[in-house]
Amino acid sequence: MALRSMNSGNTFYTPVSSFAEMWYQIFLWALFSSIFVHTIAGAICFATLRQHKYGKFFPLLIIIMGVLLPLTSGILSSAAVAFVYRASGYQMPPLYALFWGIGQTVVAACVGFTRILATL
């Protein structure tokens, strides 16, 4: 199987160079990966607390946080990464945007699981 070149015209392999395109792709990957992770967490929470009087509504809060976190911190961190790429003159392959977006979700999950913020 032959590898495709970066200039083949396929949008998956075509690197982006503008700030807005880089920011948007990173942000979308962060948003959708966060929604995916929080939906799974909400399903587990609902399965565990489905008989509780008020606990059955907690999954809704989990899913809302899965949307709000990327809309606040995800926007800023995606812009920071895109700014560094744009200021340095690098073009960003779309696969790197995927790594940066999912990486934001992984870092947020690690901070949540390790309770680093509770020690500060």
Side-chain angles (χ1 to χ4, degrees):
M1 183 171 139
L3 294 175
R4 294 183 185 185
S5 70
M6 295 292 279
N7 298 328
S8 66
N10 191 342
T11 58
F12 187 72
Y13 294 103
T14 305
V16 293
S17 58
S18 74
F19 172 80
E21 288 176 325
M22 286 187 256
W23 170 80
Y24 188 65
Q25 287 187 14
I26 296 169
F27 168 70
L28 283 181
W29 279 111
L31 178 68
F32 290 129
S33 64
S34 178
I35 290 172
F36 178 74
V37 168
H38 282 81
T39 301
I40 291 172
I44 293 170
C45 180
F46 181 75
T48 306
L49 298 172
R50 69 182 178 275
Q51 306 245 340
H52 193 273
K53 185 176 181 181
Y54 300 112
K56 59 187 167 191
F57 299 110
F58 288 163
L60 188 60
L61 295 173
I62 291 173
I63 293 172
I64 289 172
M65 287 307 296
V67 174
L68 286 180
L69 287 174
L71 288 178
T72 55
S73 65
I75 286 176
L76 296 175
S77 57
S78 298
V81 171
F83 176 75
V84 169
Y85 269 82
R86 183 67 186 125
S88 63
Y90 288 144
Q91 292 183 341
M92 178 184 286
L95 187 63
Y96 286 16
L98 176 140
F99 291 147
W100 280 110
I102 293 177
Q104 290 178 25
T105 301
V106 169
V107 168
C110 289
V111 168
F113 278 119
T114 59
R115 299 182 50 101
I116 291 173
L117 293 177
T119 63
L120 298 177

